[in-house]
Amino acid sequence: MQDTPRGLRLHIGLFGRRNVGKSSLINALTGQNVSIVSDIPGTTTDPVEKPIEMAPIGPVLFVDTAGIDDDGALGGERVRRTETILERVDLALLVVGPDGFGPFEARLTETLRARSTTTLVVINKSDLGAPTPALLEAAKAAGRETLTVSAQTGAGLDVLKQTIARLAPEARLEEPRLVGDLVPAGELAVLVVPIDLGAPKGRLILPQIQVIREILDSDAMCMVVKERELPDALLRLGRPPKLVICDSQVVLKAAADTPPQIPLTTFSILMARFKGDLNRLAAGAAAIERLRPGDRVLIGETCGHHPLADDIGRVKIPRWLNQYVGGGLITDVAAGKDFPDDLSPYSLIIQCGGCTVTRRHMLARLDRAGSQGVPMTNYGVAISLLQGVLPRALGCFPAALTAFERARGVGQ
Amino acid sequence: MQDTPRGLRLHIGLFGRRNVGKSSLINALTGQNVSIVSDIPGTTTDPVEKPIEMAPIGPVLFVDTAGIDDDGALGGERVRRTETILERVDLALLVVGPDGFGPFEARLTETLRARSTTTLVVINKSDLGAPTPALLEAAKAAGRETLTVSAQTGAGLDVLKQTIARLAPEARLEEPRLVGDLVPAGELAVLVVPIDLGAPKGRLILPQIQVIREILDSDAMCMVVKERELPDALLRLGRPPKLVICDSQVVLKAAADTPPQIPLTTFSILMARFKGDLNRLAAGAAAIERLRPGDRVLIGETCGHHPLADDIGRVKIPRWLNQYVGGGLITDVAAGKDFPDDLSPYSLIIQCGGCTVTRRHMLARLDRAGSQGVPMTNYGVAISLLQGVLPRALGCFPAALTAFERARGVGQ
């Protein structure tokens, strides 16, 4: 079985001091003995993530904030790290013990409120005695709802789960559709999926799987072919498809092989809309045309995958950019969660599709770039521009095309 | 990114006493600080698995045999557990320390040899001194090749990796093609993928992904549709597809909607051939026709997924079997690695597709059933029989069809 992709899970942040029973609470909620340990070595200062199936909510991702407590980092650093985690979570559980609210909880509450994060205050260890009225008062002021539970005895856990399930839809940032609105029921899309020699056997990449799945969910059909078979595929169809969706890396060939009356776009552009804000990312791409030798470009990756010899973000895009500009660009890579706070050295940020993170996370990056005045685009939008086919690939998204054209004009 | 499916990785078993440095060896080989801990709670007596990308070999799965050492279980139990692990590994690394070969290693060597498992003897901790001639002698007799390494200093690790890479092709049991031989280059297959309400969003199941991928690898094309769109899809194609592949659960409708001159089969039947032995599984299905009320049937699952309310193996197949037989069947489920040694109580074993395990593992189960005279089939073959369309779904596999017809005749 394939697991639900991480980026489609409800992200629940777990906040609280040591010894308030955060781990016991997860174990009790999931009925599993989950050990919250990092899958990725060398990242002990990062929050630890654990994907879980939790009835009746479904697939969730717990983000444990171990280390961000009153014994941990100093004030400013703690706030910064809490902020970074909050960029990613849909719902916060603030877990407190019977000894109640202190300055730590008060400061955390302030930060949660400033970000409008939906917060549940969970008073744990009710088996050691009922919470005092003062504690209940403080909890009530701090969160959206307050629940008293005992991870030890199980008291109150069903109510907690139901509360999470009830708040999940509003907590979760609505995602626009990936592709379903572009291919009406009964219609057909052709997907062009190159298989390069380095591709691990037996798999497709997540955006491809998600697109196939959403087309089926929309009562539409899809044809899946390699770039070489695209002309044949179009010939075999009785009438033209509604849309051709190709991998960015073959967009030039796919655009040449697809008659101009058939709309064409790329998986990356669909992901840019789904996970981020296509209009802003399209506008950001216009900055590529203004790059000059000596400028610094940040490549942002959200997953810590093993870079391939011919890695798209680390090798191909920097090479194409340098060809476009005439050499001399400086490119930095921020992998995983190392996205820098200070973006001012950069003339442009080019972000990956973000298939492993939530939309909230991608929008937070766009906001951070925007507030520092740094243009940001993504891999697919950038590649289509570098290949000279961006206006065609944005053809189904008129607002994004306008945003791109406008940003181009401003820069000239 | 999607990981390489577990069943497609080279499975490397790690054998050796405690303190010979098995964990340090994995860490040194992968350049990662891998903590070998179980992902699945409550299975501490099971071997622990860790998927790793290991250059230049590619995706491997380390199966750690912690607990099977001289301090662990008693003799008979140890042999039995070693056997169970050996059913699953392609290559064994027997790790020894400088204090060399003892009765534990001698017994292990015997077991490895009896199963013809390709074995490398790895003498670790060379930094503490060169191995004695006696140790080298014993090691040479025990394995296919002997290597002296130090996980501490890194000495010899490159040679070890190259040796594993060199032996991988012969160690790995050759898998037949999943579908590529059935759809020639330039031709097209239609895949029928039902989306039931319980299906987690944004994903497809592994056999579907593997089939799409192998069709692309074969320079062929595929059309992916839900069962309701199948008639439309066939109409839209200029000429008929070479093959229709459907989910077993919609085989009756798909068979009705597909003109008889177009070959039709199911994902499960393709997996039965790919992962097991379709001829034996087809013959096994004939036993369904001989089941009587009071008979006992074993449902074998290889992964420990969370059962759904309408789980195919736990709910649907038992229900259909009972309808077919007229009620009164007793069905047991063996999930994960709990497949019993004694199969004699059963009149039939119905096994899942085994998408998470290697072909070696599935064949070992078939062998175990065969040696005890218990017929074995798999989900998809059983469902096609229960729906009355098995001869049609085996149409592309004449040998399997003959095996089924022959087993039917024998039983009558």
Side-chain angles (χ1 to χ4, degrees):
Chain A
M1 286 253 176
Q2 291 297 96
D3 278 337
T4 301
R6 197 163 280 231
L8 296 183
R9 293 171 177 269
L10 181 77
H11 284 41
I12 303 178
L14 214 63
F15 299 85
R17 280 185 257 178
R18 283 176 209 173
N19 299 322
V20 295
K22 299 200 293 294
S23 291
S24 319
L25 187 64
I26 294 194
N27 291 345
L29 282 174
T30 59
Q32 291 176 20
N33 185 19
V34 175
S35 65
I36 295 281
V37 290
S38 177
D39 283 317
I40 306 160
T43 57
T44 45
T45 59
D46 282 338
V48 167
E49 301 180 351
K50 195 82 198 174
I52 299 274
E53 294 293 317
M54 189 165 79
I57 301 142
V60 305
L61 184 82
F62 274 107
V63 183
D64 188 30
T65 60
I68 308 189
D69 66 3
D70 48 352
D71 300 330
L74 294 174
E77 171 65 7
R78 185 168 63 229
V79 171
R80 199 193 65 77
R81 281 171 59 196
T82 308
E83 281 285 348
T84 308
I85 292 168
L86 284 178
E87 286 183 352
R88 304 163 48 217
V89 305
D90 298 309
L91 181 74
L93 299 189
L94 172 52
V95 186
V96 301
D99 52 339
F101 258 67
F104 170 72
E105 283 81 7
R107 281 196 303 266
L108 196 53
T109 300
E110 232 169 84
T111 316
L112 289 162
R113 190 172 293 136
R115 279 204 81 86
S116 316
T117 304
T118 305
T119 303
L120 285 180
V121 181
V122 180
I123 305 176
N124 191 15
K125 306 195 183 180
S126 65
D127 48 305
L128 302 182
T132 63
L135 172 53
L136 280 173
E137 186 80 11
K140 202 176 160 189
R144 171 69 186 271
E145 298 193 25
T146 301
L147 295 108
T148 304
V149 307
S150 166
Q152 194 68 34
T153 66
L157 293 180
D158 279 345
V159 178
L160 174 57
K161 283 193 219 178
Q162 285 154 16
T163 309
I164 295 174
R166 176 161 48 79
L167 295 180
E170 71 173 72
R172 193 179 173 85
L173 202 61
E174 197 56 47
E175 280 174 340
R177 299 186 72 181
L178 178 59
V179 65
D181 55 332
L182 304 173
V183 190
E187 291 292 346
L188 184 138
V190 176
L191 316 189
V192 186
V193 172
I195 304 290
D196 46 44
L197 289 174
K201 72 187 214 185
R203 62 170 235 192
L204 300 173
I205 62 173
L206 255 184
Q208 295 160 356
I209 296 171
Q210 288 180 230
V211 164
I212 295 172
R213 173 60 194 266
E214 195 176 308
I215 287 174
L216 297 178
D217 286 340
S218 305
D219 303 329
M221 305 182 265
C222 63
M223 198 152 176
V224 188
V225 300
K226 290 208 304 294
E227 67 276 23
R228 215 179 55 186
E229 280 74 51
L230 175 60
D232 252 14
L234 294 173
L235 274 179
R236 285 199 63 156
L237 291 170
R239 60 175 197 278
K242 271 288 161 196
L243 182 63
V244 171
I245 305 163
C246 67
D247 187 281
S248 295
Q249 300 190 58
V250 297
V251 65
L252 195 58
K253 176 166 168 45
D257 286 341
T258 304
Q261 66 274 21
I262 300 176
L264 173 141
T265 193
T266 70
F267 289 103
S268 293
I269 288 174
L270 294 180
M271 287 300 279
R273 184 177 70 135
F274 181 61
K275 283 288 175 185
D277 178 334
L278 180 57
N279 297 357
R280 279 195 266 173
L281 293 165
I288 294 174
E289 300 183 342
R290 299 193 293 275
L291 287 177
R292 293 291 167 263
D295 283 350
R296 194 175 276 271
V297 175
L298 179 66
I299 306 286
E301 287 176 354
T302 57
C303 67
H305 72 276
H306 295 268
L308 303 169
D310 208 20
D311 195 72
I312 179 78
R314 290 161 190 251
V315 181
K316 286 185 182 171
I317 290 180
R319 188 202 303 145
W320 291 331
L321 278 176
N322 268 305
Q323 284 168 358
Y324 189 86
V325 172
L329 288 178
I330 303 151
T331 51
D332 297 337
V333 176
K337 299 178 185 83
D338 299 331
F339 200 68
D341 290 325
D342 178 14
L343 302 169
S344 61
Y346 298 105
S347 305
L348 175 67
I349 300 160
I350 307 183
Q351 172 64 45
C352 75
C355 56
T356 63
V357 301
T358 58
R359 179 155 204 246
R360 188 183 294 277
H361 192 171
M362 292 299 284
L363 289 178
R365 287 200 172 180
L366 266 168
D367 286 344
R368 210 193 289 182
S371 69
Q372 298 184 37
V374 182
M376 177 163 160
T377 187
N378 87 343
Y379 285 12
V381 177
I383 294 171
S384 286
L385 181 131
L386 291 167
Q387 305 269 0
V389 294
L390 184 59
R392 168 134 198 221
L394 290 178
C396 353
F397 308 106
L401 186 53
T402 305
F404 168 66
E405 298 290 3
R406 191 170 297 147
R408 265 176 130 176
V410 168
Q412 275 167 356
Chain B
M1 286 249 176
Q2 291 297 93
D3 278 339
T4 301
R6 199 164 278 234
L8 296 183
R9 293 171 176 269
L10 181 76
H11 284 41
I12 303 178
L14 214 63
F15 299 85
R17 280 185 257 179
R18 281 174 211 178
N19 301 321
V20 294
K22 298 200 292 293
S23 291
S24 320
L25 187 64
I26 293 192
N27 291 345
L29 283 173
T30 59
Q32 291 176 21
N33 186 18
V34 175
S35 66
I36 296 281
V37 290
S38 178
D39 283 318
I40 306 161
T43 56
T44 45
T45 59
D46 281 341
V48 167
E49 301 180 351
K50 195 82 199 173
I52 299 272
E53 294 294 315
M54 190 164 80
I57 302 143
V60 305
L61 185 82
F62 274 107
V63 184
D64 188 30
T65 60
I68 308 188
D69 66 2
D70 48 351
D71 299 329
L74 293 174
E77 170 65 8
R78 184 168 65 230
V79 170
R80 199 192 64 78
R81 282 171 58 196
T82 309
E83 280 284 349
T84 308
I85 292 168
L86 284 177
E87 285 185 352
R88 305 162 47 217
V89 305
D90 298 309
L91 181 74
L93 299 190
L94 173 53
V95 187
V96 301
D99 54 338
F101 259 68
F104 169 72
E105 284 80 7
R107 282 195 301 264
L108 195 53
T109 301
E110 232 169 82
T111 315
L112 289 162
R113 190 172 293 135
R115 278 204 81 86
S116 315
T117 305
T118 305
T119 302
L120 285 181
V121 181
V122 180
I123 305 175
N124 192 16
K125 306 194 183 181
S126 65
D127 49 305
L128 303 182
T132 63
L135 173 53
L136 281 172
E137 188 80 11
K140 200 174 160 190
R144 170 70 185 272
E145 299 194 22
T146 301
L147 295 108
T148 304
V149 306
S150 166
Q152 194 68 34
T153 67
L157 292 181
D158 279 345
V159 179
L160 174 56
K161 285 192 217 180
Q162 286 154 16
T163 309
I164 295 174
R166 176 161 49 77
L167 295 180
E170 71 173 72
R172 192 177 174 88
L173 201 61
E174 196 57 48
E175 281 175 340
R177 299 186 73 180
L178 177 59
V179 64
D181 54 330
L182 304 173
V183 189
E187 292 292 347
L188 184 138
V190 175
L191 316 188
V192 186
V193 172
I195 304 290
D196 46 47
L197 290 175
K201 70 187 218 186
R203 60 170 238 193
L204 300 172
I205 62 172
L206 257 182
Q208 296 160 355
I209 296 172
Q210 288 180 229
V211 164
I212 295 173
R213 174 59 194 266
E214 195 176 308
I215 287 175
L216 297 177
D217 286 340
S218 304
D219 303 329
M221 305 182 265
C222 63
M223 199 154 177
V224 188
V225 299
K226 291 208 302 294
E227 67 277 21
R228 214 179 54 184
E229 280 74 51
L230 175 59
D232 252 16
L234 294 173
L235 274 179
R236 285 198 62 153
L237 290 170
R239 59 174 197 279
K242 271 287 161 197
L243 181 64
V244 172
I245 306 162
C246 67
D247 186 281
S248 296
Q249 301 190 57
V250 297
V251 65
L252 195 58
K253 174 165 169 48
D257 287 341
T258 304
Q261 67 274 20
I262 300 176
L264 173 139
T265 193
T266 70
F267 289 103
S268 293
I269 287 175
L270 295 180
M271 286 300 279
R273 184 177 71 136
F274 181 61
K275 283 288 177 186
D277 179 333
L278 181 58
N279 297 356
R280 279 195 266 171
L281 293 166
I288 293 175
E289 301 182 342
R290 298 193 293 274
L291 286 178
R292 294 289 168 264
D295 283 350
R296 193 176 275 271
V297 176
L298 180 67
I299 306 287
E301 287 176 353
T302 57
C303 68
H305 72 277
H306 296 267
L308 303 169
D310 207 23
D311 196 72
I312 179 80
R314 290 161 191 249
V315 181
K316 286 186 180 170
I317 289 180
R319 187 202 304 148
W320 291 330
L321 278 175
N322 269 304
Q323 283 167 358
Y324 190 86
V325 172
L329 289 178
I330 302 153
T331 50
D332 297 336
V333 176
K337 299 179 184 83
D338 299 331
F339 201 68
D341 290 326
D342 179 13
L343 301 169
S344 60
Y346 298 104
S347 304
L348 174 65
I349 299 160
I350 307 184
Q351 171 64 44
C352 75
C355 56
T356 63
V357 302
T358 59
R359 179 155 206 246
R360 186 183 296 277
H361 191 172
M362 291 298 284
L363 290 177
R365 288 201 171 178
L366 266 168
D367 286 345
R368 210 193 289 178
S371 69
Q372 298 184 37
V374 182
M376 176 163 162
T377 187
N378 85 345
Y379 286 11
V381 177
I383 294 171
S384 286
L385 181 131
L386 292 167
Q387 304 270 1
V389 295
L390 185 59
R392 170 135 196 222
L394 289 178
C396 351
F397 309 107
L401 186 55
T402 305
F404 168 67
E405 299 289 4
R406 192 169 297 147
R408 266 178 130 176
V410 168
Q412 278 166 354

